[in-house]
Amino acid sequence: MSQTALLNGEVITVNSKNEVFEACLIEENKIAAVGTTEEIKKHITASTKVIDLHGRSVLPGLIDAHMHLFLYGNSLMHLNCKNPAINSIEELLEKLAAIVQKTKNGQIIRVFGFNELMVKEQRYPTIQELDKLTQEHPIVITRTCGHIGVVNSLALKLAKMDAETPDPQGGTIEKDSNGKLTGRLIENAFLLFNQYVTYSDEELYNALTKAQEQLFANGITSVHDAGGFDENSFRIMQIASNKKQLKVRTYAMIGSLNDCENFTRNMIKAGVMTHTGNDYFKIGPAKLFTDGSSTGPTIATREPYTSDSNNYGYLQYTEEELYSIFSKAHRNGYQITVHAQGDKAIEQYLNVIERLLDEYPRDDHRHRVEHLGVCPPDLQEKAKALNVIPILNPSFPYEFGESYIRNYGERIHYMYAANDLLSKGIITAAGSDAPITTINPFVGIYTAVTRLTRQNTAFGQEQKVSLMDALRMYTYNAAYASFDEAAKGSIEEGKLADLIILNTSLLNCPIEEITQVEVDLTILDGEIVYAKELMNGE
């Protein structure tokens, strides 16, 4: 039996008592014991691998409860406006021109992470500027939120979109004052467009590999995938899992970024069922989008935006339509969830859950709501009464906080309201929504604890939580959201040996330095899958 002993450190268990020990023992792929260094030493044999922690922290493998594996992986392989930062339209066009020169005709050129608020010109590139770059390559620029895109004429032609194409429900094919296309596609218009600019299997496999490398480097051993591009993404995840190429433990939501409703309906009809799978790949909740992007801004709100008294955002469905889609899923035992950012969208979804539970009662359904952006006290109470699990994005205010203040005003005091929810006893988990924000979980943990933006702007300070509560959102609570709390999410005897070793003591780290915390070692199923460098004692 293979053994690994971690000694002389800070083992943050995230168990029910939030206990912290000095050491733990791994046998094969399970945690065998947790205790003092002297207690663990009693189990050591000549063949035991010993790691001296020198006071560093050991955490349960972190769980990103909402991210997009394929979208994130592709953002690492294409031009990304965030890393390194592109500060002007002029700079973006120069980089695109260089890419055009080395790209074969007909091949799609993709850009991720664009934010019109972060460039000097404070605008989107125009279709004319993109058409001037090339007539031979479709260009697709995805805004940082993932809900809005800017494309050139050739890309529109691929999608069979022209000035006569009607706007889809919950979306806009933008036109200028003369009725000409601007190239900007908003919400459902962009999501539907993406059906026509799909990825090859090779691109999807490469994206999966790239994403996984970065996940392990950031201490993330499990993810809840919130939807790939289409059915091919789902297929490739399953094949990669069977071939053991997909190593990060994946809870795959039944939903897609392209034509989500039909994808979800068809998967439910085919009997693809929540809970089926194994420790590495498991089917998650059926998912739909009910509103838009918090930074767009396109979320559906009860009151108009502070920045625009005529704007209430986009609502994708009526309440009756949402009920119709989810009724069969709920009755047949599926977990269900929605993307819901604005209070109007959240209220609509909770009304549907209430109706479903009244008509077809179910114990321990663990229905979720992704994001739960603007959630005032009345909706918090309703979520509690219905036992809905919120999946928040603590790092959103870090990157987008100033735009939230401008667009939503006083509503920021109950945006991503972690403290309110946890104080009410609502099991609440956290995710990055990568590539919308950084995959680095310590940015999310820092923001949950401080509620400060990257510019140190205070953001709804009432919603600050303790460090232990923040960790729990990325560990035990996230495991609970996928029905896995008995197997992972805390460091306890008998649980899976998914652990990470940090480069410092997290409990003694100054709060302002949490974003700089790094992972030295990631252990998954008892095996090392990432090591920053060889360490003393190994």
Side-chain angles (χ1 to χ4, degrees), residues 128 163-164 173-182:
Q128 292 82 7
E164 304 304 315
I173 303 169
E174 189 180 70
K175 302 177 183 70
D176 63 20
S177 57
N178 296 316
K180 294 185 177 179
L181 296 173
T182 67

Side-chain angles (χ1 to χ4, degrees), residues 89 123 143 173 219 227 230 255 283 394 430 460 470 474-475 493-494 511 515:
I89 298 291
R123 64 172 176 84
R143 191 182 182 275
I173 303 169
D230 50 30
I283 305 299
Y474 283 90
T475 52
E493 184 177 339
I511 291 175
T515 60

Side-chain angles (χ1 to χ4, degrees), residues 335-372:
Q335 185 185 34
I336 61 178
T337 193
V338 295
H339 163 117
Q341 285 274 22
D343 48 7
K344 187 174 182 179
I346 294 166
E347 181 176 31
Q348 180 197 66
Y349 174 64
L350 294 179
N351 287 345
V352 169
I353 296 296
E354 184 175 43
R355 180 178 170 187
L356 290 172
L357 290 173
D358 182 57
E359 294 174 356
Y360 311 103
R362 267 179 61 189
D363 293 330
D364 201 29
H365 55 79
R366 301 198 195 182
H367 294 331
R368 303 164 41 136
V369 54
E370 313 300 312
H371 309 303
L372 200 82

